[in-house]
Amino acid sequence: MIVAQISVSVDGYVAGPSPSLEDPLGAGGEQLHEWAFRLEAWRRPHGLEGGEVDIDSPLVDEASAAVVMGRRMFSGGEGPWSDDPNGRGWWGDEPPFHAPVFVVTHHPREPLELTGTTFHFVTDGVEAAVARARDAAGAGNVSVAGGAAVVQQCLAAGLLDELMVHTAPVVLGGGTRLFEDGLRPARLEVVEVVAVPLATHVRYRIPI
């Protein structure tokens, strides 16, 4: 199963205004993820102690056998890798994925092997990245982790089986939108709703 999970503001943004390498989520963007930051299920794979166990913990704990993400989610950079100050990514020496990660990029490079996670760099588009992730995952799930452009491309290409949207009770007023014009029309099926004070989580099944 190919599943995208992404956090979004009430007004539809996945990052705030003026994102930068120093502030990749833009002004106010970290608020979108406060629901996850508090959870033991999020903190544990990031090497942090403590945290809460709540009704939305299983959403973070869902296992993925492979991951797809965009270049900016990997490092925040663009252009040739030689110009990227975060060329090893900003996930540390032991990234939280513990699965192969396929990064959609225009710039080729050799795989980057870190503790528990290997990043593979795919230059022939999101469909090729998802196909490689599906092969690597076998019978397991593939997680499309973001950012917005990669989720949009997956939706437009009909690659997703499910979309999990985590809506934070925050208005950002600008930034990077989750949905843009050009998506194929579809009526989604709501299969799960989980509400906590910091987010409302809705899982949608996407028709073929």
Side-chain angles (χ1 to χ4, degrees), residues 68-76 102-105 145-147 150:
V68 175
M69 67 171 60
R71 162 75 179 274
R72 289 192 176 183
M73 187 169 181
F74 168 73
S75 71
F102 297 85
V103 180
V104 182
T105 176
V150 168

Side-chain angles (χ1 to χ4, degrees), residues 31-156:
Q31 299 174 89
L32 304 181
H33 303 276
E34 288 177 352
W35 70 269
F37 295 159
R38 79 190 205 286
L39 296 174
E40 186 274 340
W42 185 90
R43 297 176 64 82
R44 176 178 14 90
H46 287 81
L48 301 173
E49 296 182 354
E52 304 173 20
V53 176
D54 205 343
I55 58 173
D56 52 351
S57 294
L59 305 180
V60 177
D61 251 341
E62 289 184 3
S64 297
V67 178
V68 175
M69 67 171 60
R71 162 75 179 274
R72 289 192 176 183
M73 187 169 181
F74 168 73
S75 71
E78 56 186 355
W81 290 104
S82 58
D83 298 337
D84 191 333
N86 292 323
R88 286 177 59 85
W90 44 28
W91 299 100
D93 292 331
E94 187 173 353
F97 307 105
H98 301 288
V101 178
F102 297 85
V103 180
V104 182
T105 176
H106 296 296
H107 300 276
R109 65 180 287 183
E110 293 299 310
L112 174 64
E113 187 171 346
L114 300 173
T115 302
T117 299
T118 299
F119 292 94
H120 305 268
F121 301 91
V122 183
T123 57
D124 41 357
V126 70
E127 294 189 46
V130 170
R132 288 183 60 182
R134 185 186 288 115
D135 288 344
N141 286 350
V142 172
S143 171
V144 177
V150 168
V151 174
Q152 291 167 14
Q153 291 170 39
C154 287
L155 282 168

